[in-house]
Amino acid sequence: MIIDCHGHYTTAPKALEAYRQQQIADPSSRPATPSISDDQIRESLEGAQLKLQRERGTDLTIFSPRAAGMGHHIGDGNTSLAWTQVCNDLIHRCCSLYPDKFVGVCQLPQTPGVPPTNSIAELERCVKELGFIGCNLNPDPSGGWWKDPPLTDKWWFPFYEKMVELDVPAMIHVSASCNPNFHTTGGHYINGDTTAFMQLITSDLFATFPTLKFIIPHGGGAVPYHWGRYRGIAQDLKRPLLKDHLLKNVCFDTCVYHQPGIDLLTKVIPVDNILFASEMVGAVRGVDPETGHYYDDTKRYVDALTLGAADKQKIFEGNARRVFSRLRI
């Protein structure tokens, strides 16, 4: 089986966006839950994610709400909770309609300045009631202004305790940028990945939570390319070797959209720490004129690696099953 650990519902029916626009126009409003039929959901998936699964030869997508749409900086905690539950319920419906093609990962009702304890109830609901197997955790709910404490601060610890209790990982994934200095997908996403990794280097978080599991997407941002820098900084800070300090708890995905990038990722990061992912119909949707193939057809890049069959199986399936231990398909 080939498991894509990073998929977002970027093709949701228009009624979902209409609901959101009502919220944005008046964050204190409580719009009616959008009316979306099963047929509309099928139509939104059949011509996009499911079509690409068939064409590219992948089997299962770990599926979550659109990351840029989380918009944790909009409104207050009540606004975020209402939006989050609507989005998570829609993901659950996708997974129920196609139980052999999608499994859910939840958005969280984060809000700048509001403690992460506010997200625990929704995580529990999604895992225990909806059968989700993980969550997307935004290290910067302010949308590019970085106002909350770093991921290593005790501010986050109650949420981590619940993650450990439920045995679910978090993909560290920012949402849209409202800071004009940072393009959302080209700047803010990669900044978020890289910043999170640097925060982890400077802490002893995994001594406190030895079974906590994080996935850093988009190939780890700048991390693999600057692995020597991070090893050197850790050494200067008298931190343990990165393989001992972080790699028992942190994995990276393959949302890197060219062959040299995937080659570098697998040369620098141990195979046991790499999960296959494409983020298809996501940040980069076009065809690469140099290859004639879609940039986000990442299976093609992994297939081209000189790794042996056992190592490729780890990337395509084995590592995802280990990290997402609740996955039963």
Side-chain angles (χ1 to χ4, degrees):
M1 176 179 280
I2 297 178
I3 301 171
D4 186 338
C5 81
H6 188 171
H8 298 301
Y9 195 9
T10 56
T11 60
K14 293 181 179 180
L16 181 67
E17 182 60 22
Y19 170 91
R20 184 55 164 170
Q21 290 306 314
Q22 285 184 270
Q23 272 199 323
I24 292 173
D26 181 5
S28 65
S29 69
R30 297 293 180 265
T33 301
S35 177
I36 298 173
S37 70
D38 287 352
D39 283 345
Q40 287 176 308
I41 294 173
R42 291 189 185 96
E43 182 181 2
S44 72
L45 296 170
E46 288 287 354
Q49 287 86 355
L50 289 170
K51 175 176 179 285
L52 294 177
Q53 280 185 355
R54 292 188 292 267
E55 290 178 353
R56 298 177 183 180
T58 60
D59 299 300
L60 178 72
T61 300
I62 297 176
F63 208 43
S64 62
R66 186 170 66 94
M70 294 188 296
H72 293 125
H73 58 281
I74 295 171
D76 59 13
N78 291 326
T79 306
S80 185
L81 179 60
W83 172 235
T84 295
Q85 290 182 334
V86 164
C87 290
N88 287 336
D89 288 345
L90 194 56
I91 292 295
H92 177 57
R93 291 179 63 191
C94 294
C95 297
S96 298
L97 289 170
Y98 299 96
D100 59 337
K101 293 298 183 183
F102 299 106
V103 63
V105 159
C106 67
Q107 176 176 319
L108 297 169
Q110 296 178 251
T111 300
V114 175
T117 50
N118 196 55
S119 293
I120 289 175
E122 180 63 5
L123 178 65
E124 284 198 299
R125 182 182 81 94
C126 288
V127 172
K128 293 182 177 181
E129 298 178 22
L130 306 185
F132 286 18
I133 61 171
C135 62
N136 289 338
L137 182 66
N138 188 348
D140 173 33
S142 69
W145 300 103
W146 295 91
K147 295 180 178 180
D148 284 348
L151 290 171
T152 52
D153 192 272
K154 290 183 178 180
W155 161 272
W156 300 91
F157 281 17
F159 188 80
Y160 296 158
E161 290 169 1
K162 183 57 62 174
M163 284 177 56
V164 168
E165 177 190 322
L166 296 172
D167 193 21
V168 293
M171 179 172 282
I172 298 174
H173 205 311
V174 295
S175 185
S177 171
C178 56
N179 183 333
N181 288 288
F182 304 118
H183 183 275
T184 291
T185 54
H188 188 43
Y189 278 18
I190 308 305
N191 290 347
D193 305 333
T194 308
T195 298
F197 189 78
M198 189 62 224
Q199 290 175 0
L200 296 174
I201 287 178
T202 62
S203 80
D204 293 310
L205 179 65
F206 299 123
T208 304
F209 297 102
T211 60
L212 187 65
K213 294 176 288 188
F214 286 141
I215 302 155
I216 299 182
H218 318 117
V223 172
Y225 188 76
H226 289 285
W227 193 247
R229 174 183 289 258
Y230 291 116
R231 287 177 53 237
I233 290 172
Q235 182 175 313
D236 290 345
L237 294 173
K238 312 301 182 187
R239 313 308 294 169
L241 295 174
L242 293 186
K243 67 181 181 65
D244 301 320
H245 188 41
L246 300 185
L247 294 188
K248 295 176 183 177
N249 305 83
V250 178
C251 290
F252 303 81
D253 78 14
T254 63
C255 289
V256 181
Y257 296 145
H258 65 153
Q259 190 66 52
I262 293 290
D263 294 345
L264 174 69
L265 177 67
T266 56
K267 286 178 180 177
V268 172
I269 303 299
V271 166
D272 287 345
N273 293 83
I274 301 172
L275 278 63
F276 173 71
S278 71
E279 202 176 1
M280 66 168 76
V281 202
V284 180
R285 304 188 185 190
V287 172
D288 185 345
E290 295 181 5
T291 66
H293 300 291
Y294 283 94
Y295 287 100
D296 63 4
D297 185 0
T298 54
K299 179 179 178 293
R300 186 178 299 275
Y301 309 139
V302 177
D303 285 340
L305 293 170
T306 57
L307 297 174
D311 283 342
K312 288 184 180 179
Q313 192 277 336
K314 288 181 179 180
I315 293 173
F316 280 133
E317 179 181 11
N319 294 340
R321 290 193 179 278
R322 187 186 76 249
V323 173
F324 292 94
S325 57
R326 284 181 170 267
L327 180 60
R328 297 290 184 262
I329 298 175

